[in-house]
Amino acid sequence: MRVVFFGTPEFAVPSLRALLGEGFDVLAVVTQPDRPQGRSRSRAVPPPVKVEAETEGIPVLQPERPTDPAFLDRPDVGVVVAYGHILKPELLRLPGRGMVNVHPSLLPELRGAAPVEWAIVNGLAKTGVSIMQLDEGLDSGPVLLQIPHTIEPDETGGELSAHLAEVGAQALVEALALWEQDALRPVPQDHARATYAPKLTRTVAQIRWSDPAERIARLIRGLDPKPGAWTELDGHEVKLFGPEATERQEAGSPGEVLMADGRLLIAAGSGAVAVEEVQPAGKARMPAGDWMRGRRIKAGQRFG
């Protein structure tokens, strides 16, 4: 089966490796352009998928926006894994069998840009991977194969993403092999059951201390390591990691530091949240205790 692969971040790399390992003929990789990174923004960094493709000797295409289907030979199937752009109808129709997508949720649940993070933020007990035929809608095409995954109580967004990337890679090659043998039938989604996982904005990532402690802890875990849930103390931004929620009602108003003698405990709308690590703006992650000693954090100060 001749494949053109569309993908950009680390999440997509296991799927590309799985296709190559199972003998699929990957004609080309389409990925986003190199982007400036670092504080000076002076060095362009290639996407992880580009690095993997070049290691394997696969031609790499990096259009700013993939609008012209003429840049591709006609493949049997296109595979899209976290590419980062919505493909135009003329591109979707280019491969003989169309395009398939590795989506990290049990569709129609959590359609959209950030299904891994929202699965944790929303407190779901289970998520998974769906291999889906792409249509012109938002993650609305028929499903070829699904594999469920139980979310562990302390699992972070980064940990869940890494696991689903590997599960998705194996599901992808299994689905393509069965599909090629006409042993799979696409199942239309029940659109009435659809839920959504919108893009993670700065507003979404800001901690609202009036929320219950468990909700805040889920936000911190879901956005770990990126983009990170943030708050402010004395006008300085800081991201929090490694939360533990307690529903015991603590004496203190939302955002108030309740304990700063070795661990950081912060009052929520109900209960409180203890955090293990922090990341001040422009600095690396560090133990909360080290940060508190350096900043001389005391009980009674308030995050906001």
Side-chain angles (χ1 to χ4, degrees):
M1 184 178 280
R2 301 164 75 244
V3 177
V4 170
F5 186 88
F6 293 76
T8 299
E10 191 65 39
F11 180 86
V13 172
S15 289
L16 178 58
R17 288 175 179 162
L19 289 171
L20 296 171
E22 293 297 321
F24 287 89
D25 183 9
V26 181
L27 303 176
V29 161
V30 185
T31 190
Q32 293 205 30
D34 299 0
R35 303 293 187 194
Q37 291 187 14
R39 297 183 68 178
S40 67
R41 312 291 288 176
S42 60
R43 183 171 64 93
V45 176
V49 164
K50 177 183 179 180
V51 174
E52 183 69 20
E54 290 183 337
T55 299
E56 298 292 339
I58 302 169
V60 175
L61 305 171
Q62 294 181 278
E64 191 65 43
R65 291 194 174 274
T67 56
D68 182 6
F71 67 86
L72 295 175
D73 291 331
R74 185 175 175 85
D76 298 313
V77 67
V79 171
V80 182
V81 188
Y83 173 48
H85 285 304
I86 296 175
L87 301 181
K88 300 290 186 181
E90 54 267 30
L91 273 178
L92 295 178
R93 293 191 295 265
L94 180 66
R97 285 181 172 265
M99 299 271 193
V100 301
N101 173 240
V102 179
H103 186 80
S105 82
L106 297 177
L107 293 168
E109 196 169 67
L110 297 177
R111 296 175 178 177
V116 173
E117 294 86 351
W118 281 106
I120 295 174
V121 173
N122 290 345
L124 300 186
K126 183 175 71 173
T127 186
V129 169
S130 300
I131 309 301
M132 169 194 66
Q133 285 183 284
L134 281 173
D135 61 13
E136 296 178 27
L138 175 65
D139 300 327
S140 57
V143 173
L144 294 169
L145 183 68
Q146 289 187 323
I147 297 179
H149 169 72
T150 299
I151 301 174
E152 299 298 329
D154 295 327
E155 197 162 15
T156 67
E159 292 165 346
L160 181 57
S161 179
H163 181 82
L164 294 181
E166 296 294 340
V167 172
Q170 296 309 309
L172 171 66
V173 295
E174 179 182 348
L176 290 181
L178 291 170
W179 199 29
E180 190 174 25
Q181 299 167 17
D182 291 324
L184 277 183
R185 291 291 177 267
V187 177
Q189 294 186 43
D190 180 355
H191 301 305
R193 293 179 47 242
T195 61
Y196 294 92
K199 183 178 179 180
L200 296 170
T201 64
R202 179 171 169 81
T203 300
V204 168
Q206 184 175 11
I207 297 169
R208 287 167 289 280
W209 292 106
S210 57
D211 286 348
E214 183 53 44
R215 169 79 182 181
I216 293 170
R218 293 199 309 264
L219 180 74
I220 295 171
R221 283 197 305 272
L223 274 56
D224 179 355
K226 292 181 179 180
W230 67 277
T231 185
E232 289 186 346
L233 184 68
D234 298 333
H236 297 281
E237 184 177 318
V238 60
K239 295 179 180 180
L240 307 182
F241 302 96
E244 181 181 353
T246 172
E247 292 305 321
R248 186 177 75 245
Q249 192 60 46
E250 303 281 355
S253 58
E256 184 177 343
V257 177
L258 301 174
M259 189 179 300
D261 56 352
R263 72 168 182 155
L264 178 57
L265 183 67
I266 307 164
S270 61
V273 180
V275 295
E276 293 181 356
E277 292 184 299
V278 303
Q279 183 178 14
K283 297 184 179 181
R285 283 170 67 157
M286 65 181 71
D290 293 350
W291 177 72
M292 289 187 292
R293 285 190 292 273
R295 288 287 308 274
R296 297 182 180 178
I297 305 299
K298 298 179 181 179
Q301 290 181 264
R302 189 182 307 278
F303 287 90

